[in-house]
Amino acid sequence: MNDHQNPVVRVAGEADVEAAAVLFRGYLDFYEVEVEDPDAPRAFLAERIRAGESLVLLADAPGAGPGAGAVGFAQVYRTFSSLALRPLWILSDLYVDPSGRRTGAGRALLREVLRRAGEAGVAGVQLETAYDNHVAQALYEAEGFERDAFHIYFNGLGQG
């Protein structure tokens, strides 16, 4: 894949459950999370997407049709900040498949989460996922969020 092309980021719908579940399983495997029922990640995502309880984003490889080339996955939980009395988002899952590394998929997903959060008027986005610290901080601040407004986790595994 050409490093100069950008992945297309979109909101996952019910038709995307299989593609999202494959990436979610990759995320769980990466963090060595043991799941007894192999269908549990798929069922969990299907319910979250159907009920609108999570914002699930997919990054498709450039030139691939929707779902045909999904290489990145992000899941955002919506909650409420009792400190700011405004909605707060928690980005708890962000994963880029090895086939999508060096494509900018991780950065595109993080940027899209932050852009949508800014548009939604949330108080902040709590990043509880592995990502390069410096990139995450720069993107966070570029979207108008204050670095010290919340306890933010930057775990710095350099995915992207």
Side-chain angles (χ1 to χ4, degrees):
M1 184 180 304
N2 186 334
D3 285 48
H4 299 290
Q5 296 176 319
N6 294 322
V8 177
V9 177
R10 62 190 174 84
V11 175
E14 289 187 47
D16 298 308
V17 169
E18 286 306 320
V22 167
L23 291 166
F24 189 38
R25 281 193 284 272
Y27 172 86
L28 295 173
D29 289 345
F30 181 82
Y31 286 103
E32 300 177 353
V33 175
E34 293 191 28
V35 180
E36 289 183 27
D37 178 2
D39 191 49
R42 184 198 174 286
F44 175 79
L45 280 180
E47 179 58 32
R48 289 281 181 172
I49 290 171
R50 188 176 307 111
E53 294 176 4
S54 295
L55 171 66
V56 176
L57 299 174
L58 292 176
D60 291 324
V71 295
F73 162 83
Q75 183 174 197
V76 176
Y77 299 94
R78 297 173 177 112
T79 187
F80 188 79
S81 168
S82 58
L83 295 175
L85 301 178
R86 286 176 35 204
L88 176 70
W89 286 9
I90 299 174
L91 172 60
S92 63
D93 308 330
L94 190 151
Y95 176 74
V96 176
D97 186 77
S99 67
R101 304 274 164 84
R102 300 180 52 86
T103 64
R107 182 184 295 240
L109 284 162
L110 182 55
R111 182 178 289 129
E112 185 66 9
V113 166
L114 295 170
R115 185 189 69 76
R116 287 175 177 270
E119 287 178 355
V122 303
V125 180
Q126 186 165 304
L127 305 173
E128 296 181 354
T129 193
Y131 201 80
D132 181 271
N133 292 344
H134 300 292
V135 172
Q137 288 175 1
L139 292 173
Y140 192 77
E141 292 168 355
E143 289 299 329
F145 294 108
E146 293 180 32
R147 169 78 171 100
D148 296 325
F150 294 94
H151 185 65
I152 303 167
Y153 303 90
F154 295 103
N155 294 325
L157 290 182
Q159 291 185 11

mmCIF file of all heavy atoms in Angstrom, residues 23-68:
data_model
loop_
_atom_site.group_PDB
_atom_site.id
_atom_site.type_symbol
_atom_site.label_atom_id
_atom_site.label_comp_id
_atom_site.label_asym_id
_atom_site.label_seq_id
_atom_site.Cartn_x
_atom_site.Cartn_y
_atom_site.Cartn_z
ATOM 1 N N LEU A 23 -11.009 -7.129 13.791
ATOM 2 C CA LEU A 23 -10.049 -6.165 14.338
ATOM 3 C C LEU A 23 -10.112 -6.116 15.864
ATOM 4 O O LEU A 23 -9.092 -5.975 16.534
ATOM 5 C CB LEU A 23 -10.297 -4.785 13.734
ATOM 6 C CG LEU A 23 -9.949 -4.697 12.244
ATOM 7 C CD1 LEU A 23 -10.537 -3.438 11.629
ATOM 8 C CD2 LEU A 23 -8.451 -4.755 12.027
ATOM 9 N N PHE A 24 -11.309 -6.230 16.426
ATOM 10 C CA PHE A 24 -11.458 -6.240 17.878
ATOM 11 C C PHE A 24 -10.756 -7.462 18.473
ATOM 12 O O PHE A 24 -10.072 -7.367 19.493
ATOM 13 C CB PHE A 24 -12.940 -6.219 18.250
ATOM 14 C CG PHE A 24 -13.217 -6.020 19.715
ATOM 15 C CD1 PHE A 24 -12.454 -5.173 20.494
ATOM 16 C CD2 PHE A 24 -14.281 -6.668 20.320
ATOM 17 C CE1 PHE A 24 -12.721 -4.975 21.848
ATOM 18 C CE2 PHE A 24 -14.561 -6.474 21.665
ATOM 19 C CZ PHE A 24 -13.780 -5.637 22.428
ATOM 20 N N ARG A 25 -10.891 -8.602 17.793
ATOM 21 C CA ARG A 25 -10.175 -9.800 18.263
ATOM 22 C C ARG A 25 -8.658 -9.589 18.175
ATOM 23 O O ARG A 25 -7.904 -10.033 19.040
ATOM 24 C CB ARG A 25 -10.613 -11.026 17.471
ATOM 25 C CG ARG A 25 -11.942 -11.593 17.941
ATOM 26 C CD ARG A 25 -12.205 -12.964 17.360
ATOM 27 N NE ARG A 25 -12.603 -12.949 15.974
ATOM 28 C CZ ARG A 25 -13.865 -12.833 15.547
ATOM 29 N NH1 ARG A 25 -14.837 -12.712 16.410
ATOM 30 N NH2 ARG A 25 -14.137 -12.835 14.259
ATOM 31 N N GLY A 26 -8.207 -8.905 17.123
ATOM 32 C CA GLY A 26 -6.786 -8.574 17.014
ATOM 33 C C GLY A 26 -6.330 -7.707 18.173
ATOM 34 O O GLY A 26 -5.244 -7.901 18.729
ATOM 35 N N TYR A 27 -7.163 -6.748 18.552
ATOM 36 C CA TYR A 27 -6.883 -5.875 19.691
ATOM 37 C C TYR A 27 -6.765 -6.710 20.977
ATOM 38 O O TYR A 27 -5.816 -6.550 21.752
ATOM 39 C CB TYR A 27 -8.005 -4.842 19.810
ATOM 40 C CG TYR A 27 -7.955 -3.993 21.052
ATOM 41 C CD1 TYR A 27 -7.195 -2.829 21.095
ATOM 42 C CD2 TYR A 27 -8.678 -4.346 22.188
ATOM 43 C CE1 TYR A 27 -7.157 -2.042 22.233
ATOM 44 C CE2 TYR A 27 -8.641 -3.559 23.323
ATOM 45 C CZ TYR A 27 -7.884 -2.416 23.349
ATOM 46 O OH TYR A 27 -7.846 -1.643 24.480
ATOM 47 N N LEU A 28 -7.743 -7.599 21.196
ATOM 48 C CA LEU A 28 -7.736 -8.429 22.405
ATOM 49 C C LEU A 28 -6.520 -9.352 22.429
ATOM 50 O O LEU A 28 -5.902 -9.530 23.480
ATOM 51 C CB LEU A 28 -9.031 -9.245 22.484
ATOM 52 C CG LEU A 28 -10.309 -8.422 22.658
ATOM 53 C CD1 LEU A 28 -11.539 -9.322 22.544
ATOM 54 C CD2 LEU A 28 -10.318 -7.660 23.975
ATOM 55 N N ASP A 29 -6.165 -9.905 21.272
ATOM 56 C CA ASP A 29 -4.980 -10.767 21.199
ATOM 57 C C ASP A 29 -3.706 -9.978 21.485
ATOM 58 O O ASP A 29 -2.808 -10.447 22.180
ATOM 59 C CB ASP A 29 -4.872 -11.425 19.817
ATOM 60 C CG ASP A 29 -5.930 -12.478 19.589
ATOM 61 O OD1 ASP A 29 -6.583 -12.917 20.566
ATOM 62 O OD2 ASP A 29 -6.128 -12.859 18.413
ATOM 63 N N PHE A 30 -3.626 -8.756 20.945
ATOM 64 C CA PHE A 30 -2.461 -7.904 21.152
ATOM 65 C C PHE A 30 -2.222 -7.667 22.642
ATOM 66 O O PHE A 30 -1.090 -7.675 23.116
ATOM 67 C CB PHE A 30 -2.647 -6.571 20.417
ATOM 68 C CG PHE A 30 -1.490 -5.630 20.563
ATOM 69 C CD1 PHE A 30 -0.368 -5.764 19.758
ATOM 70 C CD2 PHE A 30 -1.513 -4.607 21.498
ATOM 71 C CE1 PHE A 30 0.712 -4.891 19.893
ATOM 72 C CE2 PHE A 30 -0.451 -3.732 21.634
ATOM 73 C CZ PHE A 30 0.667 -3.874 20.836
ATOM 74 N N TYR A 31 -3.322 -7.443 23.377
ATOM 75 C CA TYR A 31 -3.216 -7.189 24.812
ATOM 76 C C TYR A 31 -3.338 -8.468 25.649
ATOM 77 O O TYR A 31 -3.464 -8.401 26.863
ATOM 78 C CB TYR A 31 -4.248 -6.155 25.247
ATOM 79 C CG TYR A 31 -3.850 -4.771 24.807
ATOM 80 C CD1 TYR A 31 -4.452 -4.168 23.703
ATOM 81 C CD2 TYR A 31 -2.824 -4.089 25.437
ATOM 82 C CE1 TYR A 31 -4.068 -2.914 23.280
ATOM 83 C CE2 TYR A 31 -2.429 -2.833 25.025
ATOM 84 C CZ TYR A 31 -3.053 -2.258 23.943
ATOM 85 O OH TYR A 31 -2.657 -1.020 23.516
ATOM 86 N N GLU A 32 -3.313 -9.612 24.955
ATOM 87 C CA GLU A 32 -3.362 -10.913 25.611
ATOM 88 C C GLU A 32 -4.559 -11.054 26.539
ATOM 89 O O GLU A 32 -4.462 -11.598 27.643
ATOM 90 C CB GLU A 32 -2.049 -11.185 26.343
ATOM 91 C CG GLU A 32 -0.855 -11.197 25.403
ATOM 92 C CD GLU A 32 0.470 -11.400 26.107
ATOM 93 O OE1 GLU A 32 0.523 -11.412 27.350
ATOM 94 O OE2 GLU A 32 1.483 -11.540 25.397
ATOM 95 N N VAL A 33 -5.719 -10.581 26.068
ATOM 96 C CA VAL A 33 -6.965 -10.733 26.807
ATOM 97 C C VAL A 33 -7.564 -12.075 26.423
ATOM 98 O O VAL A 33 -7.827 -12.331 25.244
ATOM 99 C CB VAL A 33 -7.964 -9.593 26.476
ATOM 100 C CG1 VAL A 33 -9.294 -9.833 27.170
ATOM 101 C CG2 VAL A 33 -7.369 -8.258 26.852
ATOM 102 N N GLU A 34 -7.756 -12.937 27.394
ATOM 103 C CA GLU A 34 -8.317 -14.251 27.117
ATOM 104 C C GLU A 34 -9.837 -14.169 27.126
ATOM 105 O O GLU A 34 -10.436 -13.633 28.058
ATOM 106 C CB GLU A 34 -7.824 -15.265 28.132
ATOM 107 C CG GLU A 34 -6.326 -15.521 27.988
ATOM 108 C CD GLU A 34 -5.871 -16.707 28.800
ATOM 109 O OE1 GLU A 34 -6.677 -17.629 29.032
ATOM 110 O OE2 GLU A 34 -4.702 -16.692 29.194
ATOM 111 N N VAL A 35 -10.443 -14.713 26.081
ATOM 112 C CA VAL A 35 -11.891 -14.727 25.942
ATOM 113 C C VAL A 35 -12.312 -16.177 25.774
ATOM 114 O O VAL A 35 -11.857 -16.860 24.849
ATOM 115 C CB VAL A 35 -12.340 -13.894 24.714
ATOM 116 C CG1 VAL A 35 -13.838 -13.916 24.570
ATOM 117 C CG2 VAL A 35 -11.817 -12.470 24.830
ATOM 118 N N GLU A 36 -13.172 -16.657 26.684
ATOM 119 C CA GLU A 36 -13.569 -18.063 26.643
ATOM 120 C C GLU A 36 -14.428 -18.373 25.423
ATOM 121 O O GLU A 36 -14.218 -19.373 24.757
ATOM 122 C CB GLU A 36 -14.320 -18.428 27.925
ATOM 123 C CG GLU A 36 -13.414 -18.486 29.141
ATOM 124 C CD GLU A 36 -14.150 -18.913 30.385
ATOM 125 O OE1 GLU A 36 -15.169 -19.629 30.273
ATOM 126 O OE2 GLU A 36 -13.707 -18.520 31.472
ATOM 127 N N ASP A 37 -15.407 -17.522 25.139
ATOM 128 C CA ASP A 37 -16.304 -17.739 24.008
ATOM 129 C C ASP A 37 -15.757 -16.977 22.804
ATOM 130 O O ASP A 37 -15.715 -15.747 22.810
ATOM 131 C CB ASP A 37 -17.703 -17.247 24.359
ATOM 132 C CG ASP A 37 -18.696 -17.396 23.228
ATOM 133 O OD1 ASP A 37 -18.324 -17.921 22.155
ATOM 134 O OD2 ASP A 37 -19.852 -16.991 23.410
ATOM 135 N N PRO A 38 -15.308 -17.682 21.756
ATOM 136 C CA PRO A 38 -14.714 -16.986 20.607
ATOM 137 C C PRO A 38 -15.681 -16.043 19.893
ATOM 138 O O PRO A 38 -15.251 -15.140 19.178
ATOM 139 C CB PRO A 38 -14.265 -18.114 19.678
ATOM 140 C CG PRO A 38 -14.801 -19.372 20.231
ATOM 141 C CD PRO A 38 -15.302 -19.122 21.612
ATOM 142 N N ASP A 39 -16.992 -16.216 20.090
ATOM 143 C CA ASP A 39 -17.973 -15.328 19.456
ATOM 144 C C ASP A 39 -18.294 -14.111 20.326
ATOM 145 O O ASP A 39 -18.982 -13.199 19.886
ATOM 146 C CB ASP A 39 -19.267 -16.090 19.135
ATOM 147 C CG ASP A 39 -20.187 -15.282 18.237
ATOM 148 O OD1 ASP A 39 -19.696 -14.761 17.204
ATOM 149 O OD2 ASP A 39 -21.374 -15.134 18.586
ATOM 150 N N ALA A 40 -17.777 -14.086 21.550
ATOM 151 C CA ALA A 40 -18.111 -12.994 22.475
ATOM 152 C C ALA A 40 -17.725 -11.616 21.929
ATOM 153 O O ALA A 40 -18.533 -10.680 22.030
ATOM 154 C CB ALA A 40 -17.482 -13.233 23.841
ATOM 155 N N PRO A 41 -16.525 -11.422 21.362
ATOM 156 C CA PRO A 41 -16.205 -10.086 20.836
ATOM 157 C C PRO A 41 -17.177 -9.637 19.751
ATOM 158 O O PRO A 41 -17.620 -8.489 19.732
ATOM 159 C CB PRO A 41 -14.790 -10.250 20.269
ATOM 160 C CG PRO A 41 -14.217 -11.381 21.036
ATOM 161 C CD PRO A 41 -15.372 -12.314 21.274
ATOM 162 N N ARG A 42 -17.547 -10.548 18.844
ATOM 163 C CA ARG A 42 -18.490 -10.213 17.785
ATOM 164 C C ARG A 42 -19.850 -9.855 18.373
ATOM 165 O O ARG A 42 -20.465 -8.858 17.997
ATOM 166 C CB ARG A 42 -18.629 -11.381 16.807
ATOM 167 C CG ARG A 42 -19.520 -11.041 15.643
ATOM 168 C CD ARG A 42 -20.022 -12.296 14.910
ATOM 169 N NE ARG A 42 -20.975 -11.943 13.908
ATOM 170 C CZ ARG A 42 -22.220 -11.566 14.154
ATOM 171 N NH1 ARG A 42 -22.672 -11.461 15.361
ATOM 172 N NH2 ARG A 42 -23.031 -11.256 13.155
ATOM 173 N N ALA A 43 -20.350 -10.670 19.306
ATOM 174 C CA ALA A 43 -21.656 -10.424 19.915
ATOM 175 C C ALA A 43 -21.661 -9.095 20.676
ATOM 176 O O ALA A 43 -22.627 -8.328 20.611
ATOM 177 C CB ALA A 43 -22.027 -11.581 20.846
ATOM 178 N N PHE A 44 -20.580 -8.831 21.385
ATOM 179 C CA PHE A 44 -20.455 -7.587 22.139
ATOM 180 C C PHE A 44 -20.535 -6.379 21.201
ATOM 181 O O PHE A 44 -21.287 -5.438 21.431
ATOM 182 C CB PHE A 44 -19.130 -7.584 22.904
ATOM 183 C CG PHE A 44 -18.834 -6.300 23.613
ATOM 184 C CD1 PHE A 44 -19.437 -6.000 24.822
ATOM 185 C CD2 PHE A 44 -17.944 -5.387 23.071
ATOM 186 C CE1 PHE A 44 -19.154 -4.812 25.481
ATOM 187 C CE2 PHE A 44 -17.658 -4.199 23.716
ATOM 188 C CZ PHE A 44 -18.268 -3.906 24.930
ATOM 189 N N LEU A 45 -19.734 -6.406 20.115
ATOM 190 C CA LEU A 45 -19.740 -5.295 19.162
ATOM 191 C C LEU A 45 -21.082 -5.158 18.456
ATOM 192 O O LEU A 45 -21.571 -4.041 18.257
ATOM 193 C CB LEU A 45 -18.646 -5.469 18.121
ATOM 194 C CG LEU A 45 -17.254 -5.066 18.539
ATOM 195 C CD1 LEU A 45 -16.285 -5.294 17.388
ATOM 196 C CD2 LEU A 45 -17.197 -3.624 18.987
ATOM 197 N N ALA A 46 -21.675 -6.279 18.072
ATOM 198 C CA ALA A 46 -22.978 -6.238 17.394
ATOM 199 C C ALA A 46 -24.003 -5.526 18.260
ATOM 200 O O ALA A 46 -24.758 -4.667 17.783
ATOM 201 C CB ALA A 46 -23.438 -7.647 17.040
ATOM 202 N N GLU A 47 -24.023 -5.856 19.552
ATOM 203 C CA GLU A 47 -24.977 -5.217 20.463
ATOM 204 C C GLU A 47 -24.664 -3.737 20.647
ATOM 205 O O GLU A 47 -25.560 -2.892 20.645
ATOM 206 C CB GLU A 47 -24.971 -5.931 21.820
ATOM 207 C CG GLU A 47 -25.911 -5.313 22.836
ATOM 208 C CD GLU A 47 -27.359 -5.261 22.379
ATOM 209 O OE1 GLU A 47 -27.788 -6.153 21.624
ATOM 210 O OE2 GLU A 47 -28.075 -4.308 22.780
ATOM 211 N N ARG A 48 -23.396 -3.396 20.813
ATOM 212 C CA ARG A 48 -22.994 -1.997 20.979
ATOM 213 C C ARG A 48 -23.360 -1.162 19.760
ATOM 214 O O ARG A 48 -23.836 -0.043 19.877
ATOM 215 C CB ARG A 48 -21.485 -1.901 21.222
ATOM 216 C CG ARG A 48 -21.057 -2.402 22.564
ATOM 217 C CD ARG A 48 -21.338 -1.360 23.579
ATOM 218 N NE ARG A 48 -20.906 -1.792 24.889
ATOM 219 C CZ ARG A 48 -20.899 -0.988 25.935
ATOM 220 N NH1 ARG A 48 -21.243 0.255 25.812
ATOM 221 N NH2 ARG A 48 -20.529 -1.428 27.100
ATOM 222 N N ILE A 49 -23.108 -1.702 18.569
ATOM 223 C CA ILE A 49 -23.423 -0.972 17.334
ATOM 224 C C ILE A 49 -24.934 -0.853 17.169
ATOM 225 O O ILE A 49 -25.454 0.228 16.866
ATOM 226 C CB ILE A 49 -22.786 -1.667 16.115
ATOM 227 C CG1 ILE A 49 -21.260 -1.492 16.166
ATOM 228 C CG2 ILE A 49 -23.349 -1.116 14.806
ATOM 229 C CD1 ILE A 49 -20.498 -2.309 15.135
ATOM 230 N N ARG A 50 -25.664 -1.950 17.373
ATOM 231 C CA ARG A 50 -27.121 -1.953 17.214
ATOM 232 C C ARG A 50 -27.772 -0.964 18.176
ATOM 233 O O ARG A 50 -28.672 -0.219 17.791
ATOM 234 C CB ARG A 50 -27.671 -3.355 17.443
ATOM 235 C CG ARG A 50 -29.143 -3.516 17.109
ATOM 236 C CD ARG A 50 -29.616 -4.954 17.253
ATOM 237 N NE ARG A 50 -28.792 -5.892 16.491
ATOM 238 C CZ ARG A 50 -27.977 -6.809 17.045
ATOM 239 N NH1 ARG A 50 -27.888 -6.917 18.350
ATOM 240 N NH2 ARG A 50 -27.270 -7.608 16.292
ATOM 241 N N ALA A 51 -27.336 -0.944 19.422
ATOM 242 C CA ALA A 51 -27.953 -0.097 20.444
ATOM 243 C C ALA A 51 -27.417 1.334 20.426
ATOM 244 O O ALA A 51 -27.934 2.196 21.123
ATOM 245 C CB ALA A 51 -27.739 -0.718 21.828
ATOM 246 N N GLY A 52 -26.363 1.577 19.650
ATOM 247 C CA GLY A 52 -25.772 2.912 19.622
ATOM 248 C C GLY A 52 -25.032 3.258 20.897
ATOM 249 O O GLY A 52 -24.829 4.430 21.210
ATOM 250 N N GLU A 53 -24.611 2.237 21.646
ATOM 251 C CA GLU A 53 -23.927 2.471 22.920
ATOM 252 C C GLU A 53 -22.465 2.856 22.743
ATOM 253 O O GLU A 53 -21.851 3.387 23.650
ATOM 254 C CB GLU A 53 -24.036 1.232 23.805
ATOM 255 C CG GLU A 53 -25.456 0.942 24.236
ATOM 256 C CD GLU A 53 -25.574 -0.345 25.023
ATOM 257 O OE1 GLU A 53 -24.538 -0.974 25.309
ATOM 258 O OE2 GLU A 53 -26.704 -0.720 25.336
ATOM 259 N N SER A 54 -21.906 2.543 21.591
ATOM 260 C CA SER A 54 -20.526 2.889 21.294
ATOM 261 C C SER A 54 -20.466 3.516 19.917
ATOM 262 O O SER A 54 -21.274 3.215 19.057
ATOM 263 C CB SER A 54 -19.626 1.653 21.279
ATOM 264 O OG SER A 54 -19.547 1.052 22.537
ATOM 265 N N LEU A 55 -19.504 4.385 19.744
ATOM 266 C CA LEU A 55 -19.162 4.871 18.418
ATOM 267 C C LEU A 55 -18.027 3.976 17.945
ATOM 268 O O LEU A 55 -16.967 3.942 18.566
ATOM 269 C CB LEU A 55 -18.714 6.329 18.475
ATOM 270 C CG LEU A 55 -18.121 6.901 17.182
ATOM 271 C CD1 LEU A 55 -19.187 6.965 16.096
ATOM 272 C CD2 LEU A 55 -17.538 8.283 17.439
ATOM 273 N N VAL A 56 -18.257 3.212 16.894
ATOM 274 C CA VAL A 56 -17.250 2.319 16.356
ATOM 275 C C VAL A 56 -16.834 2.855 14.998
ATOM 276 O O VAL A 56 -17.680 3.056 14.117
ATOM 277 C CB VAL A 56 -17.780 0.867 16.243
ATOM 278 C CG1 VAL A 56 -16.738 -0.035 15.596
ATOM 279 C CG2 VAL A 56 -18.155 0.336 17.617
ATOM 280 N N LEU A 57 -15.552 3.124 14.854
ATOM 281 C CA LEU A 57 -15.013 3.631 13.599
ATOM 282 C C LEU A 57 -14.110 2.582 12.968
ATOM 283 O O LEU A 57 -13.408 1.858 13.681
ATOM 284 C CB LEU A 57 -14.198 4.909 13.840
ATOM 285 C CG LEU A 57 -14.938 6.090 14.431
ATOM 286 C CD1 LEU A 57 -13.961 7.218 14.753
ATOM 287 C CD2 LEU A 57 -16.024 6.584 13.495
ATOM 288 N N LEU A 58 -14.131 2.532 11.644
ATOM 289 C CA LEU A 58 -13.241 1.650 10.897
ATOM 290 C C LEU A 58 -12.411 2.492 9.945
ATOM 291 O O LEU A 58 -12.909 3.464 9.369
ATOM 292 C CB LEU A 58 -14.034 0.625 10.088
ATOM 293 C CG LEU A 58 -14.795 -0.424 10.877
ATOM 294 C CD1 LEU A 58 -15.603 -1.306 9.937
ATOM 295 C CD2 LEU A 58 -13.859 -1.265 11.732
ATOM 296 N N ALA A 59 -11.164 2.110 9.780
ATOM 297 C CA ALA A 59 -10.295 2.736 8.781
ATOM 298 C C ALA A 59 -10.126 1.731 7.657
ATOM 299 O O ALA A 59 -9.630 0.628 7.875
ATOM 300 C CB ALA A 59 -8.942 3.096 9.388
ATOM 301 N N ASP A 60 -10.599 2.104 6.481
ATOM 302 C CA ASP A 60 -10.470 1.249 5.305
ATOM 303 C C ASP A 60 -9.206 1.629 4.546
ATOM 304 O O ASP A 60 -8.877 2.805 4.410
ATOM 305 C CB ASP A 60 -11.671 1.418 4.375
ATOM 306 C CG ASP A 60 -12.955 0.854 4.968
ATOM 307 O OD1 ASP A 60 -12.878 -0.179 5.664
ATOM 308 O OD2 ASP A 60 -14.031 1.433 4.743
ATOM 309 N N ALA A 61 -8.540 0.620 4.028
ATOM 310 C CA ALA A 61 -7.350 0.859 3.216
ATOM 311 C C ALA A 61 -7.744 1.669 1.981
ATOM 312 O O ALA A 61 -8.830 1.485 1.441
ATOM 313 C CB ALA A 61 -6.735 -0.468 2.806
ATOM 314 N N PRO A 62 -6.887 2.578 1.538
ATOM 315 C CA PRO A 62 -7.195 3.368 0.344
ATOM 316 C C PRO A 62 -7.514 2.478 -0.850
ATOM 317 O O PRO A 62 -6.829 1.488 -1.095
ATOM 318 C CB PRO A 62 -5.916 4.170 0.098
ATOM 319 C CG PRO A 62 -5.225 4.191 1.410
ATOM 320 C CD PRO A 62 -5.574 2.895 2.089
ATOM 321 N N GLY A 63 -8.588 2.801 -1.544
ATOM 322 C CA GLY A 63 -8.969 2.063 -2.742
ATOM 323 C C GLY A 63 -9.801 0.821 -2.488
ATOM 324 O O GLY A 63 -10.319 0.229 -3.413
ATOM 325 N N ALA A 64 -9.946 0.415 -1.241
ATOM 326 C CA ALA A 64 -10.742 -0.766 -0.928
ATOM 327 C C ALA A 64 -12.187 -0.352 -0.689
ATOM 328 O O ALA A 64 -12.445 0.732 -0.182
ATOM 329 C CB ALA A 64 -10.193 -1.477 0.309
ATOM 330 N N GLY A 65 -13.097 -1.204 -1.025
ATOM 331 C CA GLY A 65 -14.508 -0.922 -0.763
ATOM 332 C C GLY A 65 -14.806 -0.991 0.719
ATOM 333 O O GLY A 65 -14.040 -1.599 1.474
ATOM 334 N N PRO A 66 -15.897 -0.371 1.176
ATOM 335 C CA PRO A 66 -16.248 -0.397 2.600
ATOM 336 C C PRO A 66 -16.293 -1.826 3.141
ATOM 337 O O PRO A 66 -16.959 -2.691 2.583
ATOM 338 C CB PRO A 66 -17.629 0.258 2.641
ATOM 339 C CG PRO A 66 -17.678 1.112 1.415
ATOM 340 C CD PRO A 66 -16.861 0.374 0.384
ATOM 341 N N GLY A 67 -15.535 -2.055 4.186
ATOM 342 C CA GLY A 67 -15.503 -3.359 4.831
ATOM 343 C C GLY A 67 -14.545 -4.337 4.182
ATOM 344 O O GLY A 67 -14.090 -5.277 4.818
ATOM 345 N N ALA A 68 -14.241 -4.131 2.914
ATOM 346 C CA ALA A 68 -13.362 -5.061 2.208
ATOM 347 C C ALA A 68 -11.909 -4.895 2.627
ATOM 348 O O ALA A 68 -11.129 -5.834 2.547
ATOM 349 C CB ALA A 68 -13.487 -4.858 0.699
#
